[in-house]
């Protein structure tokens, strides 16, 4: 995410209130079905009711029809999941939309709703499919006007209406505005997303375009993401985009979707995507996905850019620094995803440090100068990057600037650039397409470097006052 454009609140106030106050939707009365209900939340430090327990989603197959005029959405979500306990019932996160029906393994399931929690109680006939370790399929049909959430700082997420269409932006909780699922970053899955829109408009999503078919005045775009993706990184952008496909030097597809009004001002920076990816691969290791690119809307479509997987979303033409930041997130955040929202500094600290590295190599600005500027910025010392005081500060300056300072201090302590960058590449390889916590990171760094960095963590990462510059 681009913190420079807008300091983001991590949760819409109204949604956070609903999530924190809703009651547990199901009881231990299982009606004769063996097993217990899955938890209605994963106890994230900032969003305790976000996500759901008892299962792990492996694949989402979403079929959406968008009415560009009214903004109404009709959807079918086919969710493939593996039970992690014997289940009598389980929950899905969905905000605002109306549920028409739900089935589990083809049998009707009772649906109870409490705020943004759906509780599905499957038919007794399918209880064997809900044993621990078994895979089961859930289908939910839903419709309505998808919601746009206003965060405490005034920025928008969820299903955001733009001047020429709409775009789905999901960090940290907005993805539940347009499809039901397990919307915590710790549960990653592959995706098929089919979107039908009026002919003449485009629907751009993550991954690769599997097909495009037009009939009866409407066009269906089918996008496929084979690599695991956290739901907050999923997107659908609907509008009159100019969509182009090119390739990097080694043949990887690069898909860009640009509002025609932003095309001229975006062209030069977007042409540098292969260059930035080549540099990032040399710095951080192999690119983790099968395609890359960008979605560029208009200024005013959003207050911030977002690192949506494969192709980040930009509200208007980006500059090169912002492009570097969001492409770096494909490694830091998208491939290696936070275990909880408290670990977000691992995303933003490294993406900010990538900007510092790029500026040193391409703009002649030494990393030390970027470090010094961040050190002198009082906003970066408001709280420790790994311990924001509330959800409203999850995207505050310390998560970015002080997070990058932590990375640089590790580099300084190691005193060997070759070893430092080998450590970073090793970290990305060890957790590729997975999740990782701050504790995972600090333990990995100490093990691989052979250093006791207790003092560094205590002052730069977790300290509550500004340490000596060093």
């Amino acid at each position: 995410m681009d913190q420079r454009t807008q300091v983001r609140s991590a949760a819409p106030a109204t949604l956070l209130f609903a999530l924190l106050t809703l009651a547990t939707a199901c009881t231990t009365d299982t009606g004769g079905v063996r097993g217990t209900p899955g938890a209605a939340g994963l106890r994230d430090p900032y969003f305790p009711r976000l996500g759901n327990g008892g299962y792990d989603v492996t694949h989402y197959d979403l079929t959406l029809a968008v009415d560009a005029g009214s903004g109404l959405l009709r959807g079918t979500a086919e969710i493939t999941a593996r039970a992690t306990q014997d289940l009598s019932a389980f929950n899905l996160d969905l905000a605002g939309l109306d549920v028409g029906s739900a089935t589990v393994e083809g049998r009707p399931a009772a649906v109870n709703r409490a705020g943004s929690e759906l509780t599905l109680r499957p038919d007794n006939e399918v209880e064997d499919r809900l044993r621990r370790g078994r895979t089961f399929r859930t289908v939910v049909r839903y419709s309505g006007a998808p919601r746009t959430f206003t965060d405490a700082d005034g920025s928008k997420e969820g299903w955001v209406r733009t001047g020429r269409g709409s775009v789905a932006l999901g960090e940290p909780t907005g993805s539940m505005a347009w499809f039901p699922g397990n919307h915590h970053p710790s549960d990653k899955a592959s995706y098929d997303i089919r979107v039908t829109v009026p002919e003449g408009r485009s629907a751009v999503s993550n991954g690769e375009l599997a097909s495009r078919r037009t009939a009866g005045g409407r066009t269906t775009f089918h996008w496929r993401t084979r690599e695991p993706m956290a739901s907050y990184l999923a997107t659908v952008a609907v509008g009159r985009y100019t969509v182009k496909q090119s390739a990097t030097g080694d043949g990887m597809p690069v898909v860009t979707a640009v509002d025609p009004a932003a095309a001229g001002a975006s062209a030069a920076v977007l042409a540098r995507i292969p260059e930035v990816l080549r540099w990032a691969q040399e710095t951080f290791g192999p690119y983790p996905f099968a395609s890359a690119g960008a979605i560029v809307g208009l200024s005013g479509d959003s207050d911030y850019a977002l690192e949506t997987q494969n192709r980040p979303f930009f509200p208007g033409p980006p500059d090169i620094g912002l492009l570097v930041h969001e492409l770096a997130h494909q490694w830091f955040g998208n491939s290696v995803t936070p275990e909880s929202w408290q670990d977000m500094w691992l995303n933003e600290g490294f993406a900010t440090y990538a900007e510092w590295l790029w500026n040193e190599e391409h703009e002649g600005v030494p990393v030390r100068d970027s470090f010094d500027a961040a050190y002198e910025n009082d906003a970066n010392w408001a709280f420790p990057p790994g311990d924001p005081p509330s959800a409203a500060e999850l995207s505050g300056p310390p998560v970015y600037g002080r997070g990058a300072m932590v990375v640089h201090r590790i580099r300084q302590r190691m005193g060997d650039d070759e070893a430092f960058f080998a450590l970073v590449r090793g970290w990305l390889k060890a957790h590729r397409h997975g999740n990782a916590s701050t504790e995972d990171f600090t333990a990995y760094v100490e093990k691989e470097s052979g250093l006791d960095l207790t003092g560094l963590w205590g002052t730069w990462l977790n300290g509550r006052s500004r340490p000596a510059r060093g």
Side-chain angles (χ1 to χ4, degrees), residues 8-11 16 45-47 383 387-396 399:
R8 295 266 291 139
S9 163
L16 181 58
Y46 298 93
F47 309 100
F383 55 82
D387 190 21
S390 73
E393 286 84 26
L394 273 180
S395 293
V399 176

Side-chain angles (χ1 to χ4, degrees), residues 93-107:
D93 303 315
L94 182 67
L97 296 165
D98 299 320
V99 175
S101 66
T103 63
V104 178
E105 285 297 296
R107 300 280 298 176

